[in-house]
Amino acid sequence: MSGGGGGRRPLLGGIEAGGTKFVCALGHGPDDLRAELRLPTTTPSETIAAAVEFFAGAAGRGELAAVGIASFGPLDPDPASPTFGHITSTPKPGWAGTDLVGPVARALGVPVGFDTDVNGAALAEHRWGAGRGLDTLVYLTVGTGIGGGAMVGGRPLHGLLHPEMGHLLIARRDDDDYAGSCPFHGACLEGLASGPAIERRWGRKAETLPADHPAWELEAHYLALGLANLVLVLSPERIILGGGVMAQRQLFPLIRRRLAGLLGGYLQAPALASDHEEYIVPPALGSRAGVCGAIALAEQAAADHRG
Amino acid sequence: MSGGGGGRRPLLGGIEAGGTKFVCALGHGPDDLRAELRLPTTTPSETIAAAVEFFAGAAGRGELAAVGIASFGPLDPDPASPTFGHITSTPKPGWAGTDLVGPVARALGVPVGFDTDVNGAALAEHRWGAGRGLDTLVYLTVGTGIGGGAMVGGRPLHGLLHPEMGHLLIARRDDDDYAGSCPFHGACLEGLASGPAIERRWGRKAETLPADHPAWELEAHYLALGLANLVLVLSPERIILGGGVMAQRQLFPLIRRRLAGLLGGYLQAPALASDHEEYIVPPALGSRAGVCGAIALAEQAAADHRG
């Protein structure tokens, strides 16, 4: 990718830290991603060292303004906490309690922004994508897992910790006897509606199910239940649905219709009508939302550092 | 009530607009509420006229800086909308589509702040009560209905509309055969756990049930399910539970324990431990949270007006 911004502006580094791969990039945004490195996620020390090495040259030449890390979680995003920058309770072997920010900041000597991968994606869609100009939005990814991030008042949402919308506790539908796949909650949203849940319920990989298979109507029901609760709590101005499962575009109209049915006309807003196509949308940045989220976190860290 | 602030500062007017009564007050906060009027909620024109009359003297003498209206809803809190200041889809006869802000602003000639009663209560608890110093909190009232408001980044939460946390869609428990009382959703949180739902399920007024009645364990289960979803979406730093049902103080430890169980250890934060008593708390302002919320909205409107 090329063009757009840049010139002699110091570069921003982004690390999309995922459970299976790390994606590292230098640039200024989706139209200016200059170099990219994809690493398998092995041990923390090995993976972090390889990411640091990727940025070290630019940092040494004084060309690196900041690094952003958009990570799988749960994690500690509170700069005032002693475990700021750590992954906390992940079931991924070897990664619980890993400090991501510390080693990167010490090795590169630049400000490091840190947030969940999905808060990063929400920030990137707000900055460059399907959420520009909005005050409040949700980004939900539906794939191997389900995760959600949010922007409120133009900033990624934090509080006690950070949103964990993938684990919303919803009701299993009477005609569904699949127990749910989440190791923590069984039949939470992720347990009932992630890609692996679809595969285990129907005995086939989700992407091999035809577009008119009943799996999609049930999937839309569960996702709409989760979205209904998001709307009732957070009242976002737009919901962006990404991730591998959402590549099944037939889900979008099914979800819109089901959401309107579940809300029962209680909330009066044109956006919530079943035929409204601008409320529940795919990400404008597509699969680049993750790494662009990390770049956006770096941009924010650089700005916060300047004061 | 007396004392505290005041002196010659212009007064703030607050209207707590409820479905059964309107409470109007003049003052500066919980320690300085000077005059109070309680009106039954009859027709919109009659009720609003009586409220306006209460403030007219102070406005005429130039002593009134602003009025805040903390209202039942759903309502339109968006100042850029043509229906700003209106109640929208309430089932209360005669009140759907009522403009509350317009008549008050025209009659009194002062800035008028407007929000939901529960966002107002969240703001008041943030300003003077159990939420001081926090960035993100939830105020949930459990009584005749269930409603929730939130502060994020020190401001009441809005977006597409406003939070409607009372209508969270949760799972009915297997051993509960009560269908739910919500006219819109049947078995939503309000439909399963409001005061009237308890009464209809057990055939007795909630406040006549002994503290060790199984009703309270089921009530704690449903409220904890709702709170779990609030925590997973919004990650508040504190949850304040008010309203008539929460006068049953035995609910607090039951809810804390059940919430910890439902979250299954996924979120690691000391506040979410079952024996943590500072996370789920009663309102510090007690029954004054509503009218103080209206005063706080007036204070905000006056500040916004000054720029």
Side-chain angles (χ1 to χ4, degrees):
Chain A
M1 282 158 262
S2 68
R8 304 238 180 102
R9 279 189 294 158
L11 291 166
L12 300 167
I15 304 176
E16 180 188 4
T20 56
K21 67 175 192 296
F22 271 44
V23 181
C24 304
L26 280 164
H28 295 101
D31 298 325
D32 178 27
L33 286 176
R34 300 188 186 182
E36 206 171 286
L37 172 71
R38 288 162 181 269
L39 296 166
T41 306
T42 58
T43 64
S45 59
E46 187 177 68
T47 314
I48 295 168
V52 163
E53 198 186 329
F54 173 78
F55 297 111
R61 293 190 299 274
E63 294 165 0
L64 190 68
V67 169
I69 305 177
S71 177
F72 68 106
L75 49 77
D76 184 346
D78 176 6
S81 160
T83 54
F84 168 67
H86 289 57
I87 294 174
T88 57
S89 57
T90 178
K92 188 170 171 65
W95 283 81
T98 294
D99 180 7
L100 282 177
V101 167
V104 173
R106 282 190 297 273
L108 300 175
V110 295
V112 177
F114 183 62
D115 213 323
T116 61
D117 44 9
V118 280
N119 260 354
L123 177 64
E125 290 288 337
H126 181 265
R127 177 78 174 80
W128 299 296
R132 273 178 287 185
L134 300 180
D135 185 76
T136 303
L137 68 89
V138 162
Y139 177 94
L140 196 78
T141 180
V142 187
T144 311
I146 300 184
M151 301 286 292
V152 175
R155 303 281 297 186
L157 177 63
H158 300 125
L160 182 68
L161 297 164
H162 50 73
E164 278 291 345
M165 304 172 183
H167 295 269
L168 275 164
L169 302 176
I170 58 172
R172 188 191 290 111
R173 206 164 75 174
D174 286 343
D175 61 352
D176 180 23
D177 57 8
Y178 176 60
S181 64
C182 174
F184 291 94
H185 317 106
C188 65
L189 180 60
E190 175 171 301
L192 290 169
S194 65
I198 301 173
E199 180 176 344
R200 284 175 215 164
R201 179 184 292 111
W202 301 101
R204 291 171 55 175
K205 287 222 171 279
E207 60 268 31
T208 68
L209 295 165
D212 60 353
H213 191 281
W216 302 119
E217 188 273 324
L218 183 63
E219 178 72 6
H221 170 79
Y222 285 135
L223 292 175
L225 256 183
L227 299 193
N229 282 346
L230 291 178
V231 169
L232 290 161
V233 175
L234 206 51
S235 198
E237 292 166 89
R238 186 163 294 151
I239 296 173
I240 301 167
L241 294 182
V245 170
M246 297 311 302
Q248 305 284 334
R249 289 304 155 95
Q250 73 275 14
L251 281 171
F252 282 87
L254 292 174
I255 291 168
R256 292 180 188 121
R257 202 146 55 221
R258 194 73 199 103
L259 177 62
L262 287 167
L263 291 174
Y266 183 65
L267 299 175
Q268 293 190 353
L272 298 175
S274 60
D275 58 353
H276 196 284
E277 299 188 353
E278 305 298 317
Y279 188 61
I280 296 173
V281 301
L285 303 175
S287 59
R288 289 174 303 157
V291 73
C292 288
I295 296 275
L297 289 169
E299 185 179 59
Q300 207 176 60
D304 289 349
H305 185 72
R306 286 193 302 268
Chain B
M1 282 157 263
S2 67
R8 303 240 179 99
R9 278 189 293 158
L11 292 166
L12 301 167
I15 304 177
E16 181 188 3
T20 56
K21 67 176 190 297
F22 272 44
V23 180
C24 304
L26 280 164
H28 295 101
D31 297 325
D32 177 28
L33 288 175
R34 298 187 187 182
E36 206 170 286
L37 173 72
R38 287 163 181 268
L39 296 165
T41 306
T42 58
T43 64
S45 59
E46 188 175 69
T47 314
I48 295 168
V52 162
E53 197 187 328
F54 173 79
F55 297 110
R61 292 189 300 274
E63 295 164 0
L64 191 69
V67 169
I69 306 177
S71 177
F72 67 106
L75 49 77
D76 185 346
D78 176 6
S81 159
T83 55
F84 168 68
H86 290 58
I87 293 174
T88 57
S89 58
T90 177
K92 188 173 170 62
W95 284 82
T98 295
D99 181 7
L100 281 177
V101 168
V104 173
R106 283 190 296 273
L108 300 176
V110 295
V112 177
F114 183 63
D115 213 323
T116 61
D117 43 11
V118 279
N119 260 354
L123 177 64
E125 290 288 338
H126 182 265
R127 177 78 174 80
W128 298 296
R132 273 177 287 185
L134 300 180
D135 186 77
T136 303
L137 67 89
V138 162
Y139 177 94
L140 196 79
T141 179
V142 187
T144 311
I146 299 183
M151 300 288 292
V152 176
R155 303 281 297 187
L157 176 63
H158 300 124
L160 183 69
L161 298 164
H162 50 73
E164 278 290 346
M165 304 173 184
H167 295 268
L168 275 165
L169 302 177
I170 59 171
R172 189 191 288 110
R173 205 164 74 173
D174 286 343
D175 61 349
D176 179 23
D177 57 8
Y178 175 60
S181 64
C182 174
F184 291 94
H185 315 108
C188 65
L189 181 60
E190 175 171 302
L192 290 170
S194 65
I198 300 173
E199 180 176 344
R200 284 176 216 162
R201 179 184 292 113
W202 301 100
R204 290 170 58 175
K205 287 221 172 282
E207 59 269 32
T208 69
L209 294 165
D212 60 355
H213 192 282
W216 302 118
E217 189 274 324
L218 183 63
E219 178 72 6
H221 170 79
Y222 285 136
L223 291 175
L225 256 182
L227 298 194
N229 282 345
L230 292 177
V231 169
L232 290 161
V233 175
L234 205 51
S235 198
E237 291 165 272
R238 186 164 293 152
I239 296 174
I240 301 167
L241 295 181
V245 170
M246 296 311 303
Q248 305 285 335
R249 289 303 158 95
Q250 73 274 16
L251 280 170
F252 282 87
L254 293 174
I255 291 169
R256 293 180 189 121
R257 202 146 53 221
R258 193 74 198 103
L259 176 62
L262 287 167
L263 291 174
Y266 182 66
L267 300 175
Q268 292 190 354
L272 298 175
S274 61
D275 58 353
H276 196 284
E277 300 189 353
E278 305 298 317
Y279 188 61
I280 297 174
V281 301
L285 302 175
S287 59
R288 289 172 302 158
V291 73
C292 288
I295 297 274
L297 290 169
E299 185 179 59
Q300 207 176 59
D304 289 349
H305 184 70
R306 286 194 302 269

